[in-house]
Amino acid sequence: MSNAFIIDACRTPRGVGKVGKGSLAHIHPQQLGATVLKALAERNSLDTSEVDDIIWGTSTQVGKQSSDLGRMSALTAGYDIRASGITIDRFCGSGISSVSLGAAQIMSGMEDLVIAGGTEMMSFTGSLPTPPVPNLFDQGNLELREKHPQAHQGVCADAIATLEGIDRQAVDALAVESQKRADKAIREGRFDRSLIPVKNPDGSIALDKEEFPRPGTTMESLAGLKTVFNMFSDIVIDTETGDTYGSLIKNKYPQIKEFNHVHHAGNSSGVVDGSAAVLLASADYVKKHNLKPRARIVATANIGDCPTLMLNAPVPAAKKVLARAGLTTDDIDLWEINEAFSIVAEKFIRDLKLDRDKVNVNGGAMALGHPIGATGSVLIGTIVDELERQGKRYGLVTMCAAGGMAPAIIVENLNR
């Protein structure tokens, strides 16, 4: 197989994902995607007619985020009409999967130049009057519910904490560390190479820095927050059966007598708007255009796990992609595990027995936010930047996705 190289990666700042509060909430999703696509073209002097495909991740594909956001963002960015586009949905894992699919096209020899990325405007999806994804938690499909009951993700997070015996102090401590690391990364300019300011339609700056972090977060301030998913666990989702989100999990895991509710707004991922893009090229294209690759895609993998607990697939995904690459955890210099909820990262670190100083070294989604379909591409760009900064070799990125899934990817820094 041919190699797939990362030539460049960029992203927008993440804006608070609430209408009236976030600096990006008035921007059209196509314009947000166009911001990073235009930047990639300009930074790398791309002839966009040579872009074989644009593979885009967007989880909630309704309204302004429907109609193939990848293609429409490229047209908005002024790309040549021959640059095709497709939009995919693997829930939170979409931004890793878009890069993996792009790399696979190049490694198979079918394409030479692909842009992968994603966009999610949570200010838009949060404003929708009804749930944007029917049956995401399987309220209506009784046949599927009997086989694989799926609850609210926050209740799943608390269920995992209960089963693993991980207390609130541990998940809060990880959240505080995420804020500290993100604050340090921002102050030291570690994100500057990849960060692309977003402009208003009149050309003025809408947002040029991260909007979500709360650097003053402490264990004491988090201790003052009430847990939130206890109210979800008792919501009746079916009046005929009396099923609640909590009962769906307890029916599958009867060892849970009472939930240990430990998650709240401070140790869960932030609701934000954002977009990211990664430029991928084949060895032939690199040679022909005298490009300097920043990284190589070593291996990719996808795996499913229990849909009822939903959030536990990152560990088996990491093991699978390591085996595919012929590497071990000791070979990985840096890890990015999306902080969808604190328990996801905490369990990941414990299960794989990782050095905490190698995991999410610049903070994670608890501090910076999680723009669903874009996050995976954000993290890939982040780990490439950090591998270069530290002069390290291998980085692994993974994240949980609804339905009990996780994609994973390993990249190699070529500029050590």
Side-chain angles (χ1 to χ4, degrees), residues 9-262:
C10 65
R11 66 174 179 85
T12 68
R14 280 158 280 196
V16 171
K18 295 182 180 180
V19 175
K21 294 185 178 180
S23 297
L24 299 179
H26 65 290
I27 304 291
H28 196 285
Q30 293 172 11
Q31 188 61 48
L32 202 63
T35 297
V36 289
L37 288 173
K38 187 176 181 180
L40 277 188
E42 292 176 347
R43 284 159 50 131
N44 297 281
S45 301
L46 287 185
D47 177 352
T48 59
S49 69
E50 296 180 347
V51 176
D52 292 305
D53 208 2
I54 295 157
I55 306 176
W56 217 242
T58 302
S59 182
T60 304
Q61 296 181 32
V62 298
K64 294 191 292 185
Q65 291 194 162
S66 63
S67 302
D68 191 352
L69 195 56
R71 169 64 169 174
M72 299 308 155
S73 295
L75 293 176
T76 302
Y79 274 41
D80 189 283
I81 60 172
R82 286 169 285 185
S84 182
I86 184 173
T87 302
I88 65 167
D89 176 14
R90 198 194 295 275
F91 302 113
C92 297
S94 302
I96 292 179
S97 292
S98 64
V99 176
S100 296
L101 290 170
Q105 285 293 92
I106 290 171
M107 295 168 78
S108 69
M110 294 296 103
E111 293 176 341
D112 286 301
L113 188 65
V114 175
I115 297 175
T119 301
E120 203 80 41
M121 298 290 294
M122 298 182 76
S123 57
F124 163 65
T125 59
S127 69
L128 297 174
T130 56
V133 185
N135 294 330
L136 176 57
F137 308 119
D138 187 34
Q139 293 98 324
N141 189 333
L142 288 174
E143 183 178 354
L144 178 58
R145 191 194 303 171
E146 290 176 1
K147 293 179 181 177
H148 300 295
Q150 297 173 62
H152 187 283
Q153 289 114 318
V155 183
C156 293
D158 284 343
I160 294 168
T162 303
L163 290 167
E164 296 292 326
I166 297 176
D167 60 20
R168 176 163 173 172
Q169 183 172 355
V171 291
D172 278 1
L174 194 64
V176 171
E177 185 64 24
S178 182
Q179 292 284 353
K180 288 180 179 179
R181 292 183 179 189
D183 180 51
K184 183 177 182 180
I186 292 168
R187 287 187 287 104
E188 293 184 357
R190 297 185 188 181
F191 300 141
D192 290 357
R193 178 171 184 175
S194 295
L195 209 62
I196 306 299
V198 180
K199 295 182 179 180
N200 292 308
D202 64 4
S204 61
I205 298 295
L207 187 65
D208 60 0
K209 61 182 181 297
E210 298 292 347
E211 192 171 41
F212 189 79
R214 298 177 294 278
T217 300
T218 64
M219 290 293 287
E220 291 73 24
S221 65
L222 291 186
L225 298 178
K226 293 182 178 180
T227 58
V228 295
F229 299 112
N230 34 318
M231 66 181 73
F232 285 88
S233 65
D234 295 329
I235 291 177
V236 176
I237 61 172
D238 190 323
T239 54
E240 292 185 10
T241 64
D243 282 336
T244 65
Y245 285 131
S247 70
L248 292 180
I249 297 176
K250 287 181 178 179
N251 290 342
K252 189 75 176 282
Y253 292 89
Q255 62 267 48
I256 298 178
K257 303 304 180 183
E258 295 295 334
F259 288 102
N260 178 24
H261 292 289
V262 298

Side-chain angles (χ1 to χ4, degrees), residues 7 38 49-50 62-63 87 153 199 217 259 263 280 285 296 326 337 343-344 390 396 398 400:
I7 307 303
K38 187 176 181 180
S49 69
E50 296 180 347
V62 298
T87 302
Q153 289 114 318
K199 295 182 179 180
T217 300
F259 288 102
H263 288 92
L280 304 164
Y285 193 90
R296 176 179 71 92
I337 167 67
I343 191 66
V344 176
Q390 293 192 24
L396 189 154
T398 188
C400 59

Side-chain angles (χ1 to χ4, degrees), residues 206-388:
L207 187 65
D208 60 0
K209 61 182 181 297
E210 298 292 347
E211 192 171 41
F212 189 79
R214 298 177 294 278
T217 300
T218 64
M219 290 293 287
E220 291 73 24
S221 65
L222 291 186
L225 298 178
K226 293 182 178 180
T227 58
V228 295
F229 299 112
N230 34 318
M231 66 181 73
F232 285 88
S233 65
D234 295 329
I235 291 177
V236 176
I237 61 172
D238 190 323
T239 54
E240 292 185 10
T241 64
D243 282 336
T244 65
Y245 285 131
S247 70
L248 292 180
I249 297 176
K250 287 181 178 179
N251 290 342
K252 189 75 176 282
Y253 292 89
Q255 62 267 48
I256 298 178
K257 303 304 180 183
E258 295 295 334
F259 288 102
N260 178 24
H261 292 289
V262 298
H263 288 92
H264 48 75
N267 59 27
S268 304
S269 56
V271 176
V272 295
D273 300 329
S275 187
V278 180
L279 179 61
L280 304 164
S282 68
D284 287 344
Y285 193 90
V286 165
K287 183 177 181 180
K288 181 180 179 181
H289 294 271
N290 197 30
L291 299 175
K292 184 179 181 182
R294 297 179 61 191
R296 176 179 71 92
I297 305 296
V298 178
T300 70
N302 300 289
I303 204 165
D305 197 77
C306 174
T308 302
L309 293 179
M310 197 175 295
L311 311 175
N312 278 342
V315 170
K319 291 179 178 178
K320 184 176 181 179
V321 77
L322 285 168
R324 184 158 290 164
L327 300 173
T328 70
T329 54
D330 291 336
D331 294 312
I332 303 301
D333 299 296
L334 293 171
W335 303 76
E336 287 287 340
I337 167 67
N338 185 44
E339 297 170 349
F341 300 92
S342 187
I343 191 66
V344 176
E346 183 65 24
K347 185 176 186 299
F348 187 82
I349 292 168
R350 294 187 185 197
D351 285 2
L352 295 175
K353 298 178 174 60
L354 301 181
D355 180 348
R356 290 177 182 268
D357 289 337
K358 296 181 178 180
V359 183
N360 296 358
V361 298
N362 292 321
M366 290 186 287
L368 296 160
H370 173 26
I372 309 296
T375 302
S377 298
V378 171
L379 296 183
I380 291 169
T382 296
I383 211 164
V384 170
D385 284 346
E386 189 61 21
L387 286 168
E388 290 179 341

